[in-house]
Amino acid sequence: MNAQIGRLPEWLRYFAALLRTHQGFIPPTQGRLLNYVHRVPLGVVAQITPFNHPLLIAVKKLAPALAAGNSVIVKPSELAPISLLDFSKLANDAGVPEGVFTVLPGLGYSTGAQLASHPLVRKVDITAGTQTGRAIGAMVGSNLAAFTAELGGKAPVIVFDDADLASAVNGVSFASFIASGQTCVSGTRIIVQASIYDNFVKAFIEKVQSITRRMGNPALNPLCSMGSVISEHHLERIHGMVHSRKSGEILIGGERLVGSSTFDGFDFSRGFFYPPTVVAGVDVKDEIWLEEIFGPVVVVKKFADEAEGVALANMSKYGLGAGLWTTDLSRAHRVADMIQAGIVWVNTHHRNDPSSPWGGMKESGIGRENGVEALEAYSQSKSIIVNTAATEESRIQDDWFAETGDSKRYG
């Protein structure tokens, strides 16, 4: 939150600027007609946001929706509603009119479903798991409303043998374990070229050991490396997926943290702490390779050449984020183009900007957040066509039912 909160105004400033610079256009319509096109709001839109980045994801959706002139109802996650409720008070203090921006807490299966199925809601924008996105999308579709969905992910990170090893280890650790692995673009499938596999895994495990040693009080100790997952239910799901796998070996982690932190004495029973966990040698048909875990668990797998690395990266029903590490400029562009994902990072991860489209391919969603696409997705075009012909000309040419018998009417 400390890293994110200072960036939130960027989205508000960007879409305020885009609103003032985004222009309509005049199509070259035939005849003595002036046809101009501009964009108008959709009306009432609903946004359903998750727990993992409660303010960032909400602001990413709010900024274009409000800039486009809509009224917005946001249903935050029932696990993290408070920051958005406080933000709504700040918005009112800043002059957002009453009723234009409303936060409506509640459960997804009740409040979220009612919003999605309401006939006056003209767009639903959701960030959630793919299963939830399918259910909400069916409700939205029955009302012929617009739908944007940023859904699940199983991001691959390919590490080539020419990558800087230290940078790659640091980057993969950040990709995998930031926010305790609770992000849709979390690097969860680490695909390493065979010639450097052993050296990479050794250095990666050392980094994971360092992270684990420094787990402690996430609220009061700024040196704490990684915090809790969101709930007991999520922890049990993570642990269950790790231990129900049919293949692979746990190299480190794999058990809930208990007792007191050796780093700062924090009592781990006060949260739901799962250490960064690395599993090697998983079969590509195993659930732990295929399904989103949404926790600090990664699988590592070796590959021989570029073609196999790309094939393994694309061996997923998801296509939200991906990363690759290489010092070969040509390879970077070539492989990035071949990876089936809406966002591909090269020698970095998790980078985000209000101008950069954000969204997935395959089962990772529909539509995009950020950029011009987001503003246009929260509005609709309106075409206005004006007859500019003189009155005398119109009387003759525009009389469809004239008695002259001319075969050509206006068109």
Side-chain angles (χ1 to χ4, degrees):
M1 284 301 296
N2 287 338
Q4 288 180 356
I5 200 163
R7 296 201 62 203
L8 298 184
E10 294 178 27
W11 272 262
L12 304 176
R13 294 191 186 105
Y14 173 82
F15 283 102
L18 188 59
L19 176 64
R20 293 182 61 83
T21 57
H22 196 52
Q23 298 176 339
F25 66 99
I26 299 175
T29 307
Q30 66 175 354
R32 293 186 181 275
L33 300 169
L34 171 64
N35 182 182
Y36 60 95
V37 180
H38 65 113
R39 303 195 72 83
V40 298
L42 297 175
V44 178
V45 300
Q47 299 172 343
I48 300 174
T49 60
F51 70 81
N52 56 327
H53 304 300
L55 269 185
L56 175 64
I57 291 176
V59 170
K60 283 170 66 178
K61 298 179 187 300
L62 272 168
L66 293 175
N70 301 286
S71 291
V72 185
I73 302 172
V74 183
K75 191 213 84 69
S77 167
E78 58 270 26
L79 299 173
I82 294 175
S83 58
L84 196 55
L85 287 166
D86 285 345
F87 183 79
S88 70
K89 296 175 185 175
L90 295 175
N92 287 335
D93 292 343
V96 176
E98 189 74 23
V100 169
F101 166 35
T102 303
V103 177
L104 185 63
L107 299 173
Y109 64 81
S110 55
T111 307
Q114 288 184 50
L115 282 173
S117 59
H118 198 288
L120 292 181
V121 171
R122 300 316 306 147
K123 176 181 172 74
V124 174
D125 188 339
I126 182 172
T127 296
T130 297
Q131 184 177 352
T132 300
R134 288 184 190 278
I136 294 295
M139 299 176 194
V140 176
S142 67
N143 286 327
L144 300 179
F147 186 51
T148 295
E150 197 251 71
L151 305 176
K154 193 74 177 174
V157 181
I158 309 176
V159 182
F160 288 98
D161 58 7
D162 64 341
D164 179 75
L165 186 63
S167 297
V169 168
N170 292 338
V172 169
S173 300
F174 173 69
S176 303
F177 304 125
I178 188 71
S180 303
Q182 297 170 116
T183 79
C184 296
V185 294
S186 179
T188 57
R189 293 181 295 133
I190 315 306
I191 303 164
V192 185
Q193 196 150 18
S195 58
I196 63 164
Y197 179 85
D198 290 340
N199 289 337
F200 175 88
V201 169
K202 180 177 181 294
F204 186 44
I205 293 300
E206 290 174 356
K207 190 72 172 181
V208 169
Q209 289 171 337
S210 172
I211 296 170
T212 305
R213 279 196 306 269
R214 290 175 292 118
M215 290 181 69
N217 190 329
L220 299 180
N221 184 355
L223 298 179
C224 170
S225 60
M226 198 178 83
S228 168
V229 298
I230 190 65
S231 70
E232 182 80 34
H233 171 74
H234 282 72
L235 186 146
E236 290 175 354
R237 178 180 178 275
I238 293 165
H239 189 65
M241 289 183 71
V242 170
H243 287 275
S244 65
R245 71 189 192 285
K246 302 297 190 295
S247 61
E249 173 193 3
I250 297 175
L251 300 183
I252 189 169
E255 297 294 337
R256 178 177 183 167
L257 293 182
V258 295
S260 298
S261 166
T262 57
F263 184 58
D264 60 12
F266 180 74
D267 181 3
F268 285 128
S269 68
R270 296 175 58 192
F272 316 104
F273 291 85
Y274 205 79
T277 298
V278 181
V279 184
V282 169
D283 188 272
V284 294
K285 295 181 180 179
D286 205 318
E287 179 188 42
I288 201 172
W289 172 276
L290 297 171
E291 298 297 336
E292 185 174 39
I293 297 177
F294 221 67
V297 177
V298 303
V299 297
V300 290
K301 196 170 188 66
K302 67 177 67 174
F303 70 95
D305 55 22
E306 183 179 299
E308 184 184 11
V310 171
L312 286 169
N314 289 336
M315 203 173 289
S316 175
K317 63 184 177 182
Y318 299 110
L320 183 54
L324 64 101
W325 290 81
T326 180
T327 55
D328 184 331
L329 181 62
S330 297
R331 170 184 278 164
H333 289 288
R334 183 172 63 249
V335 173
D337 189 56
M338 291 188 286
I339 292 177
Q340 298 165 357
I343 312 153
V344 180
W345 291 283
V346 179
N347 297 330
T348 188
H349 208 90
H350 281 291
R351 299 296 184 175
N352 190 12
D353 189 87
S355 65
S356 179
W358 180 283
M361 299 178 178
K362 299 190 276 191
E363 294 189 19
S364 284
I366 298 171
R368 295 292 183 266
E369 296 178 333
N370 295 346
V372 176
E373 288 179 81
L375 184 67
E376 293 191 341
Y378 271 104
S379 61
Q380 53 196 324
S381 62
K382 185 171 185 176
S383 188
I384 298 171
I385 303 169
V386 181
N387 181 10
T388 61
T391 302
E392 293 77 10
E393 183 180 350
S394 293
R395 285 175 181 169
I396 297 171
Q397 291 190 354
D398 294 352
D399 184 1
W400 181 269
F401 295 103
E403 297 180 1
T404 60
D406 288 348
S407 59
K408 179 169 175 143
R409 314 282 188 183
Y410 69 85

